[in-house]
Amino acid sequence: MKQKVAVTGASGYLASLVQRYNGDKFEFVRVSRADVDYSKPQEVRSFFEGLDFDVMFHTAANATTADCENDPAGTHLVNCDSAIEIAKVCEERGKRMLFISTEQLFNGKSEPGPFDESVEPSCVTNYGIQKSEVDAWLTANSSNHVTLRLSWMFGMAMPGVRPSPGIVGNVLRAMRTRTPTMFTVNEKRCMTYAQQLADNFASICELESGTYHFAAANGHDASDGMSTYECARLVASKFGYGEDEVERYILPNTERYADRFRDFRLDAGKIARCGIELGTFEDNVDHCLADFGWA
């Protein structure tokens, strides 16, 4: 008998991708905003207390940075309070919780990455702070959870799956529409092909309880790794665009984070030691382009 996986944010990019490629392994119980209002934590608790599931895959969140900064109380209810209520239901019922966290837990770090799971988070945005609170609650109170701190994910559209903005889509849009587009110079981060999450979902469900970084590598220490701008240039070249076109449409944004270079790369060595190898950013771009017929 298939395990029942309740998936919140069921129509979102990552949730849709996981469902599309794992329907033969799991029975997915889709939960959308039409089913429950995440701004009302007690109603959320009641809803999930009455839901039949074996595993909770919680992807629902308001990840819009502007919303989190402009309405910290309202987004806290959605991103933190309701997530903790769901986690409490899982703990009380002996169910596994898969929680989607974020690289943004490290956006306040002054030292360079990559950061592994032993490093204490430091956030300067409300979204990161809200996710960090859930992350910490699970570590302290949950006996059966997998917290996945994701890097920036990327992919391309397919039937029934609409990707969130990512480096590959942003670059392709700039080049196809001949729109000069700025990419950040004063930043290093990991970027990962979202298909990796779908391909490894069954293995993720079997991980030992704890926190894991899920990110393709972008360098190994402070001395290497590419900026987001350099990553964008690499993607454009892999699409086959020439140097002149890349120079014209992929532009360096030197003003963003000019006050402090931001490096919030993740070290995914822990999950690799569990058999989930995510490769490098360049590997992931090659994989994505091959899947969609660009290679």
Side-chain angles (χ1 to χ4, degrees), residues 151 154 189-193 196 215-220 224-226 231 234 238 266 268 276-288:
S151 76
F154 64 82
R189 64 194 302 185
C190 294
M191 289 167 267
T192 310
Y193 183 26
Q196 298 255 42
N218 176 14
H220 300 93
D224 61 4
M226 294 182 289
C231 288
L234 175 67
K238 285 185 174 292
L266 302 177
I276 299 175
E277 293 277 358
L278 300 173
T280 67
F281 169 67
E282 187 167 358
D283 294 336
N284 277 235
V285 173
D286 289 341
H287 186 180
C288 178

PDB file of all heavy atoms in Angstrom, residues 151 154 189-193 196 215-220 224-226 231 234 238 266 268 276-288:
ATOM      1  N   SER A 151      18.427  25.762  -1.696  1.00  0.00           N
ATOM      2  CA  SER A 151      19.013  26.902  -2.398  1.00  0.00           C
ATOM      3  C   SER A 151      17.960  27.484  -3.330  1.00  0.00           C
ATOM      4  O   SER A 151      16.811  27.024  -3.377  1.00  0.00           O
ATOM      5  CB  SER A 151      20.232  26.448  -3.197  1.00  0.00           C
ATOM      6  OG  SER A 151      19.834  25.749  -4.370  1.00  0.00           O
ATOM      7  N   PHE A 154      15.798  26.185  -9.854  1.00  0.00           N
ATOM      8  CA  PHE A 154      15.466  26.609 -11.209  1.00  0.00           C
ATOM      9  C   PHE A 154      14.935  25.435 -12.016  1.00  0.00           C
ATOM     10  O   PHE A 154      15.117  24.271 -11.661  1.00  0.00           O
ATOM     11  CB  PHE A 154      16.676  27.242 -11.917  1.00  0.00           C
ATOM     12  CG  PHE A 154      17.845  26.312 -12.146  1.00  0.00           C
ATOM     13  CD1 PHE A 154      17.865  25.435 -13.228  1.00  0.00           C
ATOM     14  CD2 PHE A 154      18.941  26.320 -11.288  1.00  0.00           C
ATOM     15  CE1 PHE A 154      18.946  24.587 -13.441  1.00  0.00           C
ATOM     16  CE2 PHE A 154      20.025  25.476 -11.503  1.00  0.00           C
ATOM     17  CZ  PHE A 154      20.023  24.607 -12.584  1.00  0.00           C
ATOM     18  N   ARG A 189      25.608  32.531  -4.278  1.00  0.00           N
ATOM     19  CA  ARG A 189      24.594  31.636  -3.727  1.00  0.00           C
ATOM     20  C   ARG A 189      24.612  30.347  -4.541  1.00  0.00           C
ATOM     21  O   ARG A 189      25.137  30.308  -5.650  1.00  0.00           O
ATOM     22  CB  ARG A 189      23.217  32.287  -3.751  1.00  0.00           C
ATOM     23  CG  ARG A 189      22.706  32.565  -5.150  1.00  0.00           C
ATOM     24  CD  ARG A 189      21.510  33.496  -5.193  1.00  0.00           C
ATOM     25  NE  ARG A 189      20.371  33.015  -4.425  1.00  0.00           N
ATOM     26  CZ  ARG A 189      19.191  33.640  -4.412  1.00  0.00           C
ATOM     27  NH1 ARG A 189      19.001  34.745  -5.116  1.00  0.00           N
ATOM     28  NH2 ARG A 189      18.193  33.146  -3.700  1.00  0.00           N
ATOM     29  N   CYS A 190      24.024  29.315  -3.998  1.00  0.00           N
ATOM     30  CA  CYS A 190      23.872  28.063  -4.739  1.00  0.00           C
ATOM     31  C   CYS A 190      22.574  28.118  -5.529  1.00  0.00           C
ATOM     32  O   CYS A 190      21.605  28.743  -5.115  1.00  0.00           O
ATOM     33  CB  CYS A 190      23.852  26.876  -3.786  1.00  0.00           C
ATOM     34  SG  CYS A 190      25.399  26.597  -2.910  1.00  0.00           S
ATOM     35  N   MET A 191      22.564  27.442  -6.671  1.00  0.00           N
ATOM     36  CA  MET A 191      21.377  27.339  -7.512  1.00  0.00           C
ATOM     37  C   MET A 191      21.269  25.898  -7.981  1.00  0.00           C
ATOM     38  O   MET A 191      22.248  25.332  -8.460  1.00  0.00           O
ATOM     39  CB  MET A 191      21.469  28.314  -8.679  1.00  0.00           C
ATOM     40  CG  MET A 191      21.303  29.765  -8.251  1.00  0.00           C
ATOM     41  SD  MET A 191      21.775  30.970  -9.505  1.00  0.00           S
ATOM     42  CE  MET A 191      23.482  31.265  -9.045  1.00  0.00           C
ATOM     43  N   THR A 192      20.079  25.316  -7.851  1.00  0.00           N
ATOM     44  CA  THR A 192      19.905  23.875  -8.018  1.00  0.00           C
ATOM     45  C   THR A 192      18.739  23.582  -8.946  1.00  0.00           C
ATOM     46  O   THR A 192      17.685  24.229  -8.851  1.00  0.00           O
ATOM     47  CB  THR A 192      19.641  23.225  -6.641  1.00  0.00           C
ATOM     48  OG1 THR A 192      20.633  23.668  -5.713  1.00  0.00           O
ATOM     49  CG2 THR A 192      19.671  21.706  -6.728  1.00  0.00           C
ATOM     50  N   TYR A 193      18.901  22.599  -9.823  1.00  0.00           N
ATOM     51  CA  TYR A 193      17.842  22.161 -10.723  1.00  0.00           C
ATOM     52  C   TYR A 193      16.751  21.499  -9.894  1.00  0.00           C
ATOM     53  O   TYR A 193      16.995  20.503  -9.197  1.00  0.00           O
ATOM     54  CB  TYR A 193      18.427  21.194 -11.742  1.00  0.00           C
ATOM     55  CG  TYR A 193      17.496  20.681 -12.805  1.00  0.00           C
ATOM     56  CD1 TYR A 193      16.373  21.402 -13.220  1.00  0.00           C
ATOM     57  CD2 TYR A 193      17.758  19.466 -13.427  1.00  0.00           C
ATOM     58  CE1 TYR A 193      15.533  20.920 -14.211  1.00  0.00           C
ATOM     59  CE2 TYR A 193      16.929  18.976 -14.434  1.00  0.00           C
ATOM     60  CZ  TYR A 193      15.817  19.707 -14.815  1.00  0.00           C
ATOM     61  OH  TYR A 193      14.985  19.222 -15.797  1.00  0.00           O
ATOM     62  N   GLN A 196      15.918  17.726  -9.271  1.00  0.00           N
ATOM     63  CA  GLN A 196      16.654  16.935  -8.279  1.00  0.00           C
ATOM     64  C   GLN A 196      15.780  16.620  -7.062  1.00  0.00           C
ATOM     65  O   GLN A 196      15.897  15.547  -6.471  1.00  0.00           O
ATOM     66  CB  GLN A 196      17.901  17.711  -7.823  1.00  0.00           C
ATOM     67  CG  GLN A 196      18.907  17.998  -8.913  1.00  0.00           C
ATOM     68  CD  GLN A 196      20.128  17.100  -8.797  1.00  0.00           C
ATOM     69  OE1 GLN A 196      20.005  15.900  -8.527  1.00  0.00           O
ATOM     70  NE2 GLN A 196      21.279  17.664  -8.984  1.00  0.00           N
ATOM     71  N   ALA A 215      21.442  21.593  -2.030  1.00  0.00           N
ATOM     72  CA  ALA A 215      21.995  22.611  -2.926  1.00  0.00           C
ATOM     73  C   ALA A 215      23.108  22.030  -3.777  1.00  0.00           C
ATOM     74  O   ALA A 215      23.967  21.299  -3.284  1.00  0.00           O
ATOM     75  CB  ALA A 215      22.548  23.782  -2.106  1.00  0.00           C
ATOM     76  N   ALA A 216      23.086  22.376  -5.065  1.00  0.00           N
ATOM     77  CA  ALA A 216      24.211  22.067  -5.936  1.00  0.00           C
ATOM     78  C   ALA A 216      25.366  22.986  -5.559  1.00  0.00           C
ATOM     79  O   ALA A 216      25.162  24.152  -5.208  1.00  0.00           O
ATOM     80  CB  ALA A 216      23.824  22.279  -7.392  1.00  0.00           C
ATOM     81  N   ALA A 217      26.582  22.479  -5.622  1.00  0.00           N
ATOM     82  CA  ALA A 217      27.747  23.229  -5.167  1.00  0.00           C
ATOM     83  C   ALA A 217      28.075  24.396  -6.101  1.00  0.00           C
ATOM     84  O   ALA A 217      27.979  24.281  -7.319  1.00  0.00           O
ATOM     85  CB  ALA A 217      28.952  22.299  -5.059  1.00  0.00           C
ATOM     86  N   ASN A 218      28.452  25.506  -5.495  1.00  0.00           N
ATOM     87  CA  ASN A 218      28.988  26.659  -6.228  1.00  0.00           C
ATOM     88  C   ASN A 218      30.300  27.044  -5.549  1.00  0.00           C
ATOM     89  O   ASN A 218      30.348  27.926  -4.695  1.00  0.00           O
ATOM     90  CB  ASN A 218      27.995  27.822  -6.205  1.00  0.00           C
ATOM     91  CG  ASN A 218      28.544  29.076  -6.882  1.00  0.00           C
ATOM     92  OD1 ASN A 218      29.550  29.029  -7.592  1.00  0.00           O
ATOM     93  ND2 ASN A 218      27.897  30.205  -6.654  1.00  0.00           N
ATOM     94  N   GLY A 219      31.369  26.315  -5.900  1.00  0.00           N
ATOM     95  CA  GLY A 219      32.649  26.526  -5.238  1.00  0.00           C
ATOM     96  C   GLY A 219      32.709  25.826  -3.895  1.00  0.00           C
ATOM     97  O   GLY A 219      31.712  25.293  -3.402  1.00  0.00           O
ATOM     98  N   HIS A 220      33.877  25.849  -3.289  1.00  0.00           N
ATOM     99  CA  HIS A 220      34.094  25.113  -2.047  1.00  0.00           C
ATOM    100  C   HIS A 220      34.499  25.998  -0.872  1.00  0.00           C
ATOM    101  O   HIS A 220      34.415  25.576   0.278  1.00  0.00           O
ATOM    102  CB  HIS A 220      35.168  24.047  -2.258  1.00  0.00           C
ATOM    103  CG  HIS A 220      34.793  23.041  -3.310  1.00  0.00           C
ATOM    104  ND1 HIS A 220      35.160  23.174  -4.631  1.00  0.00           N
ATOM    105  CD2 HIS A 220      34.046  21.919  -3.232  1.00  0.00           C
ATOM    106  CE1 HIS A 220      34.669  22.161  -5.328  1.00  0.00           C
ATOM    107  NE2 HIS A 220      33.997  21.391  -4.515  1.00  0.00           N
ATOM    108  N   ASP A 224      36.666  30.709  -4.146  1.00  0.00           N
ATOM    109  CA  ASP A 224      36.120  30.307  -5.436  1.00  0.00           C
ATOM    110  C   ASP A 224      34.601  30.458  -5.444  1.00  0.00           C
ATOM    111  O   ASP A 224      34.014  31.075  -4.563  1.00  0.00           O
ATOM    112  CB  ASP A 224      36.546  28.883  -5.803  1.00  0.00           C
ATOM    113  CG  ASP A 224      36.066  27.835  -4.804  1.00  0.00           C
ATOM    114  OD1 ASP A 224      35.327  28.197  -3.861  1.00  0.00           O
ATOM    115  OD2 ASP A 224      36.421  26.656  -4.960  1.00  0.00           O
ATOM    116  N   GLY A 225      33.950  29.908  -6.458  1.00  0.00           N
ATOM    117  CA  GLY A 225      32.514  30.088  -6.615  1.00  0.00           C
ATOM    118  C   GLY A 225      32.225  31.306  -7.479  1.00  0.00           C
ATOM    119  O   GLY A 225      33.010  32.252  -7.554  1.00  0.00           O
ATOM    120  N   MET A 226      31.078  31.262  -8.147  1.00  0.00           N
ATOM    121  CA  MET A 226      30.692  32.333  -9.063  1.00  0.00           C
ATOM    122  C   MET A 226      29.635  33.237  -8.450  1.00  0.00           C
ATOM    123  O   MET A 226      28.773  32.788  -7.681  1.00  0.00           O
ATOM    124  CB  MET A 226      30.131  31.732 -10.353  1.00  0.00           C
ATOM    125  CG  MET A 226      31.133  30.968 -11.187  1.00  0.00           C
ATOM    126  SD  MET A 226      30.391  30.339 -12.736  1.00  0.00           S
ATOM    127  CE  MET A 226      29.332  29.032 -12.076  1.00  0.00           C
ATOM    128  N   CYS A 231      27.146  33.439 -12.954  1.00  0.00           N
ATOM    129  CA  CYS A 231      26.301  32.274 -13.237  1.00  0.00           C
ATOM    130  C   CYS A 231      25.365  32.558 -14.413  1.00  0.00           C
ATOM    131  O   CYS A 231      25.148  31.696 -15.271  1.00  0.00           O
ATOM    132  CB  CYS A 231      25.482  31.910 -12.001  1.00  0.00           C
ATOM    133  SG  CYS A 231      26.443  31.167 -10.657  1.00  0.00           S
ATOM    134  N   LEU A 234      27.203  32.287 -17.633  1.00  0.00           N
ATOM    135  CA  LEU A 234      27.449  30.880 -17.958  1.00  0.00           C
ATOM    136  C   LEU A 234      26.198  30.245 -18.576  1.00  0.00           C
ATOM    137  O   LEU A 234      26.295  29.536 -19.591  1.00  0.00           O
ATOM    138  CB  LEU A 234      27.850  30.120 -16.693  1.00  0.00           C
ATOM    139  CG  LEU A 234      28.010  28.601 -16.868  1.00  0.00           C
ATOM    140  CD1 LEU A 234      29.200  28.288 -17.762  1.00  0.00           C
ATOM    141  CD2 LEU A 234      28.177  27.921 -15.511  1.00  0.00           C
ATOM    142  N   LYS A 238      25.661  28.612 -22.346  1.00  0.00           N
ATOM    143  CA  LYS A 238      25.226  27.224 -22.538  1.00  0.00           C
ATOM    144  C   LYS A 238      23.987  27.135 -23.427  1.00  0.00           C
ATOM    145  O   LYS A 238      23.759  26.120 -24.071  1.00  0.00           O
ATOM    146  CB  LYS A 238      24.988  26.553 -21.182  1.00  0.00           C
ATOM    147  CG  LYS A 238      26.277  26.196 -20.453  1.00  0.00           C
ATOM    148  CD  LYS A 238      26.030  25.431 -19.186  1.00  0.00           C
ATOM    149  CE  LYS A 238      27.337  24.971 -18.553  1.00  0.00           C
ATOM    150  NZ  LYS A 238      28.021  23.945 -19.373  1.00  0.00           N
ATOM    151  N   LEU A 266      25.248  27.130   0.477  1.00  0.00           N
ATOM    152  CA  LEU A 266      25.034  26.002   1.382  1.00  0.00           C
ATOM    153  C   LEU A 266      26.008  24.873   1.063  1.00  0.00           C
ATOM    154  O   LEU A 266      26.291  24.593  -0.098  1.00  0.00           O
ATOM    155  CB  LEU A 266      23.603  25.483   1.244  1.00  0.00           C
ATOM    156  CG  LEU A 266      22.477  26.478   1.511  1.00  0.00           C
ATOM    157  CD1 LEU A 266      21.120  25.818   1.254  1.00  0.00           C
ATOM    158  CD2 LEU A 266      22.553  27.031   2.928  1.00  0.00           C
ATOM    159  N   ALA A 268      26.247  21.036   1.031  1.00  0.00           N
ATOM    160  CA  ALA A 268      25.325  19.889   1.015  1.00  0.00           C
ATOM    161  C   ALA A 268      26.032  18.565   1.264  1.00  0.00           C
ATOM    162  O   ALA A 268      25.547  17.508   0.858  1.00  0.00           O
ATOM    163  CB  ALA A 268      24.576  19.851  -0.312  1.00  0.00           C
ATOM    164  N   ILE A 276      22.507  11.154  -1.520  1.00  0.00           N
ATOM    165  CA  ILE A 276      21.827  12.092  -2.414  1.00  0.00           C
ATOM    166  C   ILE A 276      22.856  13.099  -2.909  1.00  0.00           C
ATOM    167  O   ILE A 276      23.160  14.088  -2.241  1.00  0.00           O
ATOM    168  CB  ILE A 276      20.649  12.777  -1.707  1.00  0.00           C
ATOM    169  CG1 ILE A 276      19.620  11.729  -1.256  1.00  0.00           C
ATOM    170  CG2 ILE A 276      19.985  13.804  -2.616  1.00  0.00           C
ATOM    171  CD1 ILE A 276      18.459  12.290  -0.447  1.00  0.00           C
ATOM    172  N   GLU A 277      23.407  12.823  -4.071  1.00  0.00           N
ATOM    173  CA  GLU A 277      24.465  13.657  -4.662  1.00  0.00           C
ATOM    174  C   GLU A 277      23.823  14.684  -5.587  1.00  0.00           C
ATOM    175  O   GLU A 277      23.115  14.329  -6.531  1.00  0.00           O
ATOM    176  CB  GLU A 277      25.442  12.785  -5.456  1.00  0.00           C
ATOM    177  CG  GLU A 277      26.261  11.830  -4.607  1.00  0.00           C
ATOM    178  CD  GLU A 277      27.484  12.487  -3.993  1.00  0.00           C
ATOM    179  OE1 GLU A 277      27.717  13.683  -4.270  1.00  0.00           O
ATOM    180  OE2 GLU A 277      28.194  11.803  -3.241  1.00  0.00           O
ATOM    181  N   LEU A 278      24.095  15.967  -5.355  1.00  0.00           N
ATOM    182  CA  LEU A 278      23.442  17.029  -6.117  1.00  0.00           C
ATOM    183  C   LEU A 278      24.362  17.708  -7.122  1.00  0.00           C
ATOM    184  O   LEU A 278      23.904  18.546  -7.902  1.00  0.00           O
ATOM    185  CB  LEU A 278      22.857  18.063  -5.147  1.00  0.00           C
ATOM    186  CG  LEU A 278      21.817  17.479  -4.176  1.00  0.00           C
ATOM    187  CD1 LEU A 278      21.402  18.510  -3.143  1.00  0.00           C
ATOM    188  CD2 LEU A 278      20.600  16.957  -4.930  1.00  0.00           C
ATOM    189  N   GLY A 279      25.644  17.358  -7.133  1.00  0.00           N
ATOM    190  CA  GLY A 279      26.557  17.867  -8.144  1.00  0.00           C
ATOM    191  C   GLY A 279      26.846  19.352  -8.012  1.00  0.00           C
ATOM    192  O   GLY A 279      26.659  19.963  -6.957  1.00  0.00           O
ATOM    193  N   THR A 280      27.285  19.945  -9.116  1.00  0.00           N
ATOM    194  CA  THR A 280      27.637  21.364  -9.152  1.00  0.00           C
ATOM    195  C   THR A 280      26.577  22.149  -9.911  1.00  0.00           C
ATOM    196  O   THR A 280      25.741  21.586 -10.622  1.00  0.00           O
ATOM    197  CB  THR A 280      28.980  21.572  -9.851  1.00  0.00           C
ATOM    198  OG1 THR A 280      28.843  21.217 -11.245  1.00  0.00           O
ATOM    199  CG2 THR A 280      30.081  20.720  -9.211  1.00  0.00           C
ATOM    200  N   PHE A 281      26.647  23.454  -9.788  1.00  0.00           N
ATOM    201  CA  PHE A 281      25.731  24.315 -10.533  1.00  0.00           C
ATOM    202  C   PHE A 281      25.831  24.050 -12.031  1.00  0.00           C
ATOM    203  O   PHE A 281      24.811  23.893 -12.713  1.00  0.00           O
ATOM    204  CB  PHE A 281      26.038  25.784 -10.233  1.00  0.00           C
ATOM    205  CG  PHE A 281      25.337  26.745 -11.152  1.00  0.00           C
ATOM    206  CD1 PHE A 281      23.958  26.875 -11.130  1.00  0.00           C
ATOM    207  CD2 PHE A 281      26.060  27.518 -12.065  1.00  0.00           C
ATOM    208  CE1 PHE A 281      23.301  27.757 -11.991  1.00  0.00           C
ATOM    209  CE2 PHE A 281      25.418  28.394 -12.926  1.00  0.00           C
ATOM    210  CZ  PHE A 281      24.038  28.517 -12.883  1.00  0.00           C
ATOM    211  N   GLU A 282      27.039  23.955 -12.543  1.00  0.00           N
ATOM    212  CA  GLU A 282      27.208  23.717 -13.976  1.00  0.00           C
ATOM    213  C   GLU A 282      26.611  22.371 -14.387  1.00  0.00           C
ATOM    214  O   GLU A 282      25.939  22.267 -15.420  1.00  0.00           O
ATOM    215  CB  GLU A 282      28.686  23.783 -14.356  1.00  0.00           C
ATOM    216  CG  GLU A 282      28.926  23.726 -15.847  1.00  0.00           C
ATOM    217  CD  GLU A 282      30.337  24.090 -16.245  1.00  0.00           C
ATOM    218  OE1 GLU A 282      31.150  24.432 -15.354  1.00  0.00           O
ATOM    219  OE2 GLU A 282      30.632  24.037 -17.459  1.00  0.00           O
ATOM    220  N   ASP A 283      26.835  21.341 -13.569  1.00  0.00           N
ATOM    221  CA  ASP A 283      26.214  20.031 -13.826  1.00  0.00           C
ATOM    222  C   ASP A 283      24.694  20.162 -13.906  1.00  0.00           C
ATOM    223  O   ASP A 283      24.043  19.565 -14.763  1.00  0.00           O
ATOM    224  CB  ASP A 283      26.521  19.041 -12.693  1.00  0.00           C
ATOM    225  CG  ASP A 283      27.978  18.676 -12.584  1.00  0.00           C
ATOM    226  OD1 ASP A 283      28.704  18.781 -13.591  1.00  0.00           O
ATOM    227  OD2 ASP A 283      28.395  18.273 -11.471  1.00  0.00           O
ATOM    228  N   ASN A 284      24.127  20.917 -12.979  1.00  0.00           N
ATOM    229  CA  ASN A 284      22.676  21.054 -12.901  1.00  0.00           C
ATOM    230  C   ASN A 284      22.113  21.797 -14.110  1.00  0.00           C
ATOM    231  O   ASN A 284      21.053  21.446 -14.626  1.00  0.00           O
ATOM    232  CB  ASN A 284      22.278  21.761 -11.604  1.00  0.00           C
ATOM    233  CG  ASN A 284      22.212  20.829 -10.410  1.00  0.00           C
ATOM    234  OD1 ASN A 284      21.193  20.746  -9.727  1.00  0.00           O
ATOM    235  ND2 ASN A 284      23.285  20.119 -10.122  1.00  0.00           N
ATOM    236  N   VAL A 285      22.832  22.813 -14.568  1.00  0.00           N
ATOM    237  CA  VAL A 285      22.397  23.528 -15.772  1.00  0.00           C
ATOM    238  C   VAL A 285      22.430  22.594 -16.975  1.00  0.00           C
ATOM    239  O   VAL A 285      21.485  22.538 -17.777  1.00  0.00           O
ATOM    240  CB  VAL A 285      23.267  24.775 -16.016  1.00  0.00           C
ATOM    241  CG1 VAL A 285      22.909  25.418 -17.358  1.00  0.00           C
ATOM    242  CG2 VAL A 285      23.086  25.783 -14.892  1.00  0.00           C
ATOM    243  N   ASP A 286      23.507  21.825 -17.107  1.00  0.00           N
ATOM    244  CA  ASP A 286      23.618  20.861 -18.217  1.00  0.00           C
ATOM    245  C   ASP A 286      22.463  19.856 -18.180  1.00  0.00           C
ATOM    246  O   ASP A 286      21.875  19.522 -19.221  1.00  0.00           O
ATOM    247  CB  ASP A 286      24.944  20.121 -18.143  1.00  0.00           C
ATOM    248  CG  ASP A 286      26.139  20.997 -18.496  1.00  0.00           C
ATOM    249  OD1 ASP A 286      25.940  22.051 -19.137  1.00  0.00           O
ATOM    250  OD2 ASP A 286      27.272  20.625 -18.126  1.00  0.00           O
ATOM    251  N   HIS A 287      22.151  19.367 -16.976  1.00  0.00           N
ATOM    252  CA  HIS A 287      21.062  18.404 -16.793  1.00  0.00           C
ATOM    253  C   HIS A 287      19.736  19.008 -17.242  1.00  0.00           C
ATOM    254  O   HIS A 287      18.958  18.387 -17.984  1.00  0.00           O
ATOM    255  CB  HIS A 287      21.013  18.002 -15.318  1.00  0.00           C
ATOM    256  CG  HIS A 287      20.049  16.919 -14.985  1.00  0.00           C
ATOM    257  ND1 HIS A 287      19.883  16.454 -13.693  1.00  0.00           N
ATOM    258  CD2 HIS A 287      19.158  16.222 -15.733  1.00  0.00           C
ATOM    259  CE1 HIS A 287      18.955  15.508 -13.683  1.00  0.00           C
ATOM    260  NE2 HIS A 287      18.488  15.357 -14.919  1.00  0.00           N
ATOM    261  N   CYS A 288      19.468  20.246 -16.809  1.00  0.00           N
ATOM    262  CA  CYS A 288      18.233  20.925 -17.152  1.00  0.00           C
ATOM    263  C   CYS A 288      18.120  21.129 -18.659  1.00  0.00           C
ATOM    264  O   CYS A 288      17.082  20.798 -19.269  1.00  0.00           O
ATOM    265  CB  CYS A 288      18.164  22.268 -16.426  1.00  0.00           C
ATOM    266  SG  CYS A 288      16.693  23.270 -16.809  1.00  0.00           S
TER     267      CYS A 288
END
